[in-house]
Amino acid sequence: MNARFFVLFLSVLLVPAPSLAQPDYASTLQKEKLGRGLVAIRQDSSHVAVSWRLLPTDAAETAFNVYRDGQLLTKSPLTAATFLTHDNASTSAATYEVRPVVRKKELETGTGIYTLPADAPIGYIDIPLYKPDGGITPAGDRYEYTANDASVSDVDGDGEYEIILKWEPTNAHDNAHDGYTGNVLIDGYRLSGERLWRIDLGPNIRAGAHYTQFMVFDLDGDGRAEVTMRTSDGTIDGQGTVIGDPYADYRYAGDTVAVGRRRTPPRQGRILSGNEYLTVFSGLTGAALHTVPYIPPRGDLAGWGDTNANRSDRFLACIAYLDGQHPSVVMCRGYYTRTVLAAFDWDGHTLSQRWVFDSNDEACEAYAGQGNHNLRVADIDNDGCDEIIYGSCTINNDGTGLYSTGLGHGDALHLTAFFPGETRLQVWQCHETGGNGSTFRDAATGETLFRYPHPDDIGRCMAADIDPTSPGVEMWSGSTGGIRNIRGELIAEHVRGLSTNMAVWWDGDLLRELLDGTRIAKYNWDEQRCDVIFQPEGVASNNSTKANPCLAADLLGDWREEVLLRTRDSQALRLYVSTIPTNRRFVTFMDDPVYRISVATQNVAYNQPTQPGFYFGPDME
């Protein structure tokens, strides 16, 4: 253990744990204004779970009354949690209402209303979808569509979230593979299943996890979110307007070589040249609002590391408060070799470039080849502005390089405050090459706190507070040999059912649960095993072995997280809401900027779980 790490750990032990009062989110950041987020979910035929948001504008002494069809359900205003189990509830349709109470007086503002239909399913909200028809590629191969990654934001200014959903064709390809793909489609939906619009990205945007990163966020502060994506000639917006040349087709037909009947000709279906754009769409109508050339252009393919558009077409994206007040959208290209990030601002009329970082620039060579299949955003140096943790390197809010560890590319990355009582953020990352295994570093300086080398590619790692007997957030990966604590000590060597996939706050205590595929499991620290506590039927996860939900985040109800999954036939989405009682209450995680941005970037390449910019776990007590 190095000296600085020992001092940091010792300081954690000496700082009293914070109380369970809501965290202080006061800042100058432009944020969305959320409503109460009330939801009612059937637990069974006679019980209904009612849950709602605690907002940052609520006074600390705020309590709540709950009504069903105008009848008061609470004997006295609730103060311990923003959750209620309604016993002996009938199966008929009902309207639930929650009203805040301050100093024994019900307020007329900050209320919430939710109508539970008579045919409501048990445990989830059913969101019917408009599944697209399949198609046939120029090679004559048929494909269908499945619902894929999703994001959320308030697109109409009513304080509640809508869903932006990507439809992925069944012939989507990783960049390493040749072959045509179907068009990528993006839909906007209300939670009722009402479809607002459909955007067709056209034939010149290839389908696959690394190609389409869509950012959904209110960029101009008008209370209505925009959708920002890479587009090309032939993209059709949500109002039927075509961007650029509607007849352009940049898909490569394949090299002229002898191939077997079932072999794909080399480079067939890849897009090696042609126009690329960056477009801001209205989140409410899907209309294209402004289109500019995509930065950086692909240029010479070989400059990215190969001539197959494998290295050049690795895209990431994020939202960041680069000026300490307004959100910018940052579009990124490359991480195996050359790395470029371009920041843009949207003022409601014009998309303007803020800065460009390019590892090809002088004195930036150390930043080449350091990117991940994902990224994180936070104000790591306490200057009031966000930095971008781009794998093994970090880009400052002004577009300059902050540091590069030189440890290289990896598949997973976690950023949060691992130490109770500490405001500094740390990074837990796994690496693919160089025998670097997994590393734990100070987010602000890049200093390695500890490292677990391994000769192989470590494809997954996870960080979550799952063990109350160990202080802080635990971490594990394929190179740690089991679960490690914040001192790097091995606290559990062989854990049955331990997942390195996703995580979710689900059961009502302050520990986190593990989400893998469609299952939620809880760690049993006494028996050193993970027990499945929730397993829905009729649903499926996305992205093959990545096995992630469409989205997992604090979307509505109390502070716990919801899980959005597609049905196996992609005819609907199911938003699963925890019906487990809890006696805790916290301001919605969505008010924390680090957490909120982690939701916006969850759909980027290899999906990663949400994480807040502060320690959250049992050591808060």
Side-chain angles (χ1 to χ4, degrees):
M1 184 186 304
N2 66 40
R4 183 192 174 280
F5 181 74
F6 178 77
V7 171
L8 179 61
F9 179 72
L10 184 61
S11 70
V12 171
L13 297 181
L14 297 177
V15 174
S19 71
L20 289 181
Q22 62 191 51
D24 179 11
Y25 294 120
S27 73
T28 60
L29 300 185
Q30 172 190 302
K31 297 181 183 179
E32 58 198 350
K33 294 179 174 60
L34 291 177
R36 192 56 69 186
L38 178 66
V39 63
I41 298 292
R42 292 201 183 280
Q43 291 178 311
D44 51 41
S45 60
S46 61
H47 297 81
V48 172
V50 186
S51 181
W52 59 95
R53 293 187 186 111
L54 186 67
L55 300 172
T57 53
D58 289 329
E61 68 271 22
T62 301
F64 296 93
N65 283 333
V66 182
Y67 296 82
R68 175 183 167 118
D69 294 332
Q71 180 181 357
L72 182 64
L73 300 181
T74 47
K75 294 180 179 179
S76 60
L78 301 179
T79 59
T82 53
F83 179 92
L84 170 72
T85 299
H86 180 202
D87 300 329
N88 302 317
S90 69
T91 57
S92 59
T95 297
Y96 286 87
E97 183 176 5
V98 62
R99 301 176 190 171
V101 179
V102 177
R103 299 184 183 93
K104 300 182 180 181
K105 181 180 179 181
E106 279 192 350
L107 304 184
E108 296 180 358
T109 59
T111 61
I113 297 177
Y114 184 87
T115 299
L116 180 68
D119 57 350
I122 293 175
Y124 64 88
I125 299 173
D126 184 68
I127 306 169
L129 298 175
Y130 290 81
K131 185 177 180 179
D133 294 330
I136 300 176
T137 70
D141 299 319
R142 183 161 185 82
Y143 61 89
E144 303 296 333
Y145 280 98
T146 58
N148 194 252
D149 294 336
S151 191
V152 295
S153 204
D154 180 6
V155 304
D156 57 7
D158 67 352
E160 304 302 335
Y161 286 132
E162 284 74 42
I163 297 171
I164 310 302
L165 175 71
K166 179 173 75 170
W167 288 99
E168 187 156 89
T170 50
N171 60 356
H173 288 301
D174 186 272
N175 297 48
H177 301 288
D178 300 320
Y180 289 105
T181 73
N183 294 5
V184 177
L185 308 176
I186 308 290
D187 281 0
Y189 287 93
R190 299 191 191 277
L191 290 181
S192 63
E194 175 190 353
R195 193 181 74 179
L196 300 173
W197 45 261
R198 171 167 290 167
I199 295 170
D200 184 339
L201 290 179
N204 298 311
I205 299 293
R206 206 165 184 240
H210 305 289
Y211 297 100
T212 301
Q213 324 302 347
F214 56 103
M215 291 292 100
V216 187
F217 216 82
D218 178 11
L219 298 174
D220 59 1
D222 67 351
R224 295 171 295 179
E226 292 78 35
V227 182
T228 310
M229 295 180 286
R230 185 175 65 102
T231 59
S232 185
D233 293 317
T235 293
I236 305 172
D237 77 1
Q239 299 298 303
T241 301
V242 179
I243 295 173
D245 181 357
Y247 304 106
D249 190 341
Y250 302 131
R251 294 173 295 183
Y252 193 71
D255 296 336
T256 305
V257 296
V259 296
R261 174 180 291 182
R262 293 188 176 275
R263 286 185 57 199
T264 301
R267 303 202 294 178
Q268 183 188 75
R270 294 180 181 270
I271 299 169
L272 310 175
S273 62
N275 294 325
E276 296 174 288
Y277 309 117
L278 180 64
T279 301
V280 176
F281 299 88
S282 164
L284 180 59
T285 69
L289 301 177
H290 194 205
T291 296
V292 298
Y294 190 87
I295 297 175
R298 61 172 62 86
D300 177 23
L301 293 180
W304 298 92
D306 62 43
T307 59
N308 297 324
N310 179 10
R311 306 283 176 139
S312 67
D313 283 14
R314 301 282 180 161
F315 299 96
L316 300 176
C318 66
I319 300 295
Y321 291 92
L322 300 173
D323 66 356
Q325 185 174 0
H326 305 97
S328 299
V329 61
V330 184
M331 308 303 290
C332 317
R333 186 174 212 144
Y335 39 76
Y336 286 121
T337 50
R338 182 186 177 192
T339 294
V340 183
L341 291 78
F344 296 86
D345 296 328
W346 171 249
D347 63 4
H349 304 282
T350 303
L351 192 62
S352 58
Q353 180 183 307
R354 175 176 284 268
W355 51 251
V356 176
F357 173 88
D358 191 336
S359 64
N360 276 1
D361 290 345
E362 186 178 356
C364 293
E365 297 89 350
Y367 293 82
Q370 301 302 310
N372 262 35
H373 290 301
N374 33 69
L375 72 178
R376 291 296 197 193
V377 176
D379 175 14
I380 60 174
D381 54 8
N382 294 318
D383 65 353
C385 303
D386 281 342
E387 287 72 44
I388 301 167
I389 295 82
Y390 203 79
S392 292
C393 64
T394 294
I395 310 304
N396 215 337
N397 64 285
D398 61 0
T400 60
L402 185 62
Y403 67 78
S404 175
T405 67
L407 294 173
H409 167 74
D411 285 3
L413 177 72
H414 303 277
L415 169 78
T416 192
F418 283 68
F419 295 85
E422 264 282 327
T423 59
R424 294 181 71 90
L425 302 177
Q426 294 81 35
V427 175
W428 174 241
Q429 181 185 3
C430 54
H431 304 275
E432 196 166 279
T433 59
N436 290 314
S438 305
T439 56
F440 186 54
R441 75 175 190 254
D442 184 290
T445 67
E447 178 186 359
T448 298
L449 302 178
F450 54 73
R451 171 185 169 194
Y452 292 94
H454 199 280
D456 298 331
D457 170 4
I458 302 302
R460 302 280 186 99
C461 64
M462 175 55 68
D465 196 346
I466 60 174
D467 186 345
T469 68
S470 172
V473 174
E474 288 75 49
M475 59 203 93
W476 59 98
S477 73
S479 66
T480 58
I483 300 175
R484 301 274 173 171
N485 64 19
I486 52 177
R487 291 174 290 185
E489 298 170 337
L490 185 67
I491 60 173
E493 186 171 5
H494 301 292
V495 179
R496 285 178 289 163
L498 184 65
S499 164
T500 52
N501 193 357
M502 302 284 284
V504 61
W505 279 288
W506 182 260
D507 69 355
D509 62 24
L510 302 188
L511 293 168
R512 208 159 193 198
E513 286 68 56
L514 302 179
L515 172 61
D516 186 22
T518 61
R519 300 179 303 276
I520 296 176
K522 190 169 188 65
Y523 178 54
N524 183 327
W525 52 92
D526 289 327
E527 301 293 334
Q528 295 193 359
R529 68 169 189 264
C530 291
D531 300 320
V532 174
I533 62 172
F534 183 72
Q535 175 72 76
E537 298 180 353
V539 290
S541 58
N542 293 334
N543 302 316
S544 185
T545 59
K546 304 301 179 288
N548 60 269
C550 298
L551 187 67
D554 181 13
L555 304 182
L556 42 69
D558 62 26
W559 56 274
R560 291 174 293 179
E561 296 178 299
E562 287 68 51
V563 179
L564 186 67
L565 293 164
R566 63 180 173 92
T567 57
R568 290 174 182 164
D569 59 5
S570 287
Q571 294 292 340
L573 297 176
R574 292 180 180 176
L575 182 59
Y576 288 92
V577 181
S578 179
T579 60
I580 302 172
T582 180
N583 61 354
R584 312 299 176 91
R585 77 177 205 172
F586 299 97
V587 166
T588 172
F589 276 120
M590 285 298 213
D591 194 63
D592 173 50
V594 176
Y595 182 93
R596 182 64 184 89
I597 291 173
S598 77
V599 175
T601 60
Q602 192 175 133
N603 66 70
V604 171
Y606 292 173
N607 309 56
Q608 297 293 286
T610 56
Q611 281 162 328
F614 55 91
Y615 170 77
F616 187 90
D619 295 310
M620 293 171 66
E621 299 180 294

